[in-house]
Amino acid sequence: MPRYKYVANRFLTFVENIFLRQKLSEYHTGLRAFSSALLAGLPFERNSDDFVFDNQIIAQAVSAGARIGEVSCPTRYETESSSINLRRSIRYGFGVLRTCGQYRLHKHGVRRYHYLDFEPDAVRAELESAATAAKSAAEARRSARPDG
């Protein structure tokens, strides 16, 4: 990845952490893992069909109050490792900044955005229900063991 993209990624991550009030180390790798309960509750079909989709789904997850954990993955910042050209990179960067602004405006009730317009409490309830079910299943497996 060219140096300008690395610097831009670091800058955008800094801005996103401020606007979304998170402490993530990276928003732009493209590697994501979401629970099925979270995906069932988020209207991700309303998100962009472009690179900024990733940032919109993170904004939705933050809006829903989902826990976000990070799993490290190796990243190579080599020229041939990047599939996005300069023009699309610039468009992506502005899309990320727009998503951050939209999240804050939506959160504070200044303006509504279709992809952020859902019931966070319903998503949280779904996440809690899934966590309870997973915990019960784990306990059942533990008690079913012969050494149990």
Side-chain angles (χ1 to χ4, degrees):
M1 176 181 297
R3 184 172 267 339
Y4 74 89
K5 287 185 183 180
Y6 174 79
V7 171
N9 280 356
R10 301 310 311 146
F11 171 74
L12 290 172
T13 292
F14 175 76
V15 170
E16 286 173 289
N17 278 329
I18 292 170
F19 275 76
L20 299 178
R21 297 185 184 221
Q22 298 295 304
K23 291 184 179 178
L24 300 179
S25 63
E26 232 286 329
Y27 286 81
H28 313 287
T29 61
L31 177 63
R32 303 276 177 262
F34 298 96
S35 71
S36 58
L38 179 63
L39 291 176
L42 294 180
F44 61 85
E45 69 281 352
R46 298 178 190 171
N47 295 358
S48 171
D49 288 333
D50 208 349
F51 287 108
V52 78
F53 174 93
D54 293 4
N55 300 97
Q56 290 176 334
I57 201 165
I58 291 171
Q60 288 172 325
V62 169
S63 184
R67 288 183 323 139
I68 298 177
E70 294 187 276
V71 178
S72 66
C73 68
T75 304
R76 292 180 307 169
Y77 292 103
E78 299 171 4
T79 303
E80 62 273 0
S81 297
S82 181
S83 63
I84 185 171
N85 63 30
L86 177 61
R87 184 177 178 172
R88 297 225 31 222
S89 295
I90 292 169
R91 188 168 134 198
Y92 169 74
F94 282 117
V96 168
L97 296 174
R98 184 173 46 254
T99 299
C100 289
Q102 289 172 345
Y103 169 80
R104 289 302 283 268
L105 291 171
H106 188 89
K107 179 181 168 129
H108 294 293
V110 175
R111 186 145 182 227
R112 309 294 294 173
Y113 294 94
H114 185 62
Y115 73 98
L116 293 169
D117 203 14
F118 61 92
E119 279 299 320
D121 292 337
V123 177
R124 276 192 289 278
E126 182 68 31
L127 291 171
E128 289 170 11
S129 174
T132 301
K135 185 177 178 183
S136 297
E139 288 173 1
R141 281 192 303 274
R142 243 190 330 272
S143 66
R145 288 187 203 146
D147 62 348

